[in-house]
Every structure is written in structure tokens, then in C-alpha cells.
Amino acid sequence: MKATKNDFESALNKKISCLIGAVLMIGGAQPAGAATIANYYQIVDLGTLGGEASWASSINDNGQIVGYAADTTGQQRVFLYENGAIKDIGIQGGLGIFINNKGRIAGNVYGDNGGGATVIVNNFIYENGKTTLLNVFNSNVKGLNNNDDIITDIIATDGSGKDRATLIRNGVTTNLGTLMGGDRAEVAGINDKGQIVGWSATTSMENPHGAFIYANGVMASLNFSGGVYVDVRDINNSGDIIGAIQYENGSDAAFIYNDSVLNLFN
């Protein structure tokens, strides 16, 4: 039986978790003379905003952390953690919160849809105590770089699933397009060079779920030969792209891709 896209995404999460775990182990190697890993790392409870739980989403090179946490009423609020303290920045939030090295925060504003459900109602930028609403509606923030470029998915409201990969730069919203006549695309990551990666539906029977890189105003396919589904997750400033690929026979693997070289991790 041929694997479905949901099967692939489930396997993808496991593969990517293992790949990221391997990278973290490499990056967290003990310094010379360290007795144990426990002596090198410290786990810090960031606390909550008076509620029972909190979730960290993003951290910058200055150690500032953003995420969302429940307040005393149970509502989820966007928080900033710095200098050992957690604070509510005044926005109802949830998934999709990022902070860059300038300390600027971008993310989704959540609210009631009028029927009792909590949904994304706007996007925001927060800096130095001031919140600016972007007013790009039906938009899910997926990333922020150190040049304040924001990537989002514009969510189709007609139930078609035809979402659009989007870049917000200097207040201008740009539709990145699709690959090979496809009708939908989503972003996954952006680096400080402005290179964006994501996936796009295509009209190709061989590769209906293709990976793309967008740079200098052009979307290009990553052309992973034989991949039925390719799902990229992020790109760093060196151009390393991570993700996972599924082949026609149902096998899948996490990968790192750079300069036309694909390294698989089964």
C-alpha cells in the first residue's frame, strides 16, 4: 500500500527530531575538563504568566526567549523572557512567535472568531514596548530573520487548502508563487540572506509535493530526483537546508542539502 501524505508527515517529524537531536549533541559537546554533561547544561524553568503552562517558541543570540503562556484566566498570552524574568507583552497568542537578534518579535495575534473558537486574527511586530499590527489577514507567521523579513502562509478561507507562501518586507507583502503550475505553497524558513525555503504543490505526477528555494525574486525547485513528497523545514545562513523526503516505494529519510549535494539520514 502506498504511504499517504499524513503517514509521511508523521515519519518526517520523527526523522527531523532525530536529525536535530544529532546536531544539538554535536553543538553541545563538552568543553575540555568538563566532568559530565550535567555540569555543562542547566535547565531553567521560565515560569508562566500565572497559569499552569508555558511554551517557548524562539530564542535569539542574546538569550531572549519568546513563546506563549497561560495567564490566571487560562488565556494564552505572548511572553518575552529576558534577564531571568518572564513578562506578558500584551498580546493574545499561540503558535507562530519569533524573535531576532535586534529583539524584534513577530507573530500571530489570536482572538475569538465570533463562534467561540480561538483563531489567528492578525499578525504583529513588537519592539521596545510597542506593538504594530501588520493587518495581513488570514496569515500564519512562519519565520523572521535579522533583517526583519517575515514569512507567512496566507490561509485560503474557502476550504480549498490553496494557501500562499508570502514574504513581508518593509511593509510590502509579496506572493512567492508556486512550482510547475501548482495551486498552493507554504513557507518553512528564511535566513539572513533573504533565501526562503518551503514546499509547493505541482502538476507533476512524479513529484506532486516539491521543495523550493526562493531568492532574488525567483522561486526554483530543489529537484530531488525520485521524491514523491519533499518537506523542507529550515535554511541557515550557510545555505544548509534540512527536511525529509519520501520516495515512491514508501521509504523516507531526513536530509541536509547544500550546493546541489543531498545527504540522507535514514
Side-chain angles (χ1 to χ4, degrees):
M1 179 182 295
K2 184 177 178 180
T4 67
K5 181 174 182 291
N6 287 337
D7 294 332
F8 168 62
E9 289 179 344
S10 177
L12 163 68
N13 289 329
K14 295 177 182 178
K15 298 281 186 181
I16 294 297
S17 295
C18 291
L19 176 57
I20 292 174
V23 172
L24 289 175
M25 288 298 291
I26 293 170
Q30 289 177 249
T36 64
I37 289 291
N39 291 335
Y40 184 47
Y41 290 100
Q42 180 182 7
I43 297 175
V44 177
D45 185 346
L46 305 187
T48 71
L49 296 173
E52 296 182 348
S54 58
W55 298 263
S57 299
S58 178
I59 185 171
N60 65 14
D61 291 347
N62 303 312
Q64 295 172 302
I65 302 169
V66 292
Y68 57 101
D71 64 11
T72 55
T73 69
Q75 186 181 87
Q76 293 178 357
R77 310 286 297 176
V78 178
F79 73 76
L80 169 63
Y81 179 92
E82 60 182 348
N83 301 320
I86 187 172
K87 70 175 181 180
D88 185 340
I89 66 170
I91 300 166
Q92 184 177 351
L95 297 174
I97 308 165
F98 302 87
I99 186 168
N100 65 18
N101 288 339
K102 299 176 183 178
R104 290 176 178 162
I105 303 169
N108 298 318
V109 181
Y110 283 71
D112 194 303
N113 68 351
T118 300
V119 298
I120 298 171
V121 296
N122 210 325
N123 306 138
F124 74 89
I125 283 282
Y126 175 92
E127 183 182 19
N128 298 325
K130 180 181 178 181
T131 299
T132 301
L133 296 179
L134 300 180
N135 294 327
V136 180
F137 301 106
N138 305 310
S139 172
N140 179 23
V141 173
K142 302 287 280 291
L144 168 72
N145 68 12
N146 288 316
N147 298 312
D148 302 324
D149 296 328
I150 301 170
I151 53 172
T152 79
D153 294 330
I154 303 296
I155 308 302
T157 58
D158 59 2
S160 66
K162 297 178 181 180
D163 302 339
R164 294 296 181 181
T166 305
L167 167 66
I168 304 174
R169 174 178 288 163
N170 299 324
V172 177
T173 301
T174 301
N175 182 345
L176 305 188
T178 62
L179 292 174
M180 294 184 286
D183 60 4
R184 69 198 68 188
E186 293 184 7
V187 290
I190 183 171
N191 64 16
D192 291 340
K193 297 177 181 178
Q195 296 172 309
I196 301 168
V197 292
W199 71 269
S200 170
T202 76
T203 55
S204 168
M205 294 300 292
E206 295 181 355
N207 187 14
H209 188 280
F212 72 77
I213 182 166
Y214 179 93
N216 301 317
V218 177
M219 177 184 285
S221 173
L222 292 177
N223 288 325
F224 295 148
S225 178
V228 178
Y229 291 113
V230 181
D231 206 333
V232 298
R233 287 299 178 93
D234 211 350
I235 182 171
N236 66 15
N237 289 337
S238 298
D240 298 314
I241 300 169
I242 61 169
I245 185 169
Q246 184 186 61
Y247 294 97
E248 182 68 28
N249 63 6
S251 65
D252 54 69
F255 68 79
I256 294 179
Y257 178 86
N258 193 331
D259 196 22
S260 300
V261 177
L262 179 67
N263 293 303
L264 299 177
F265 298 83
N266 293 307

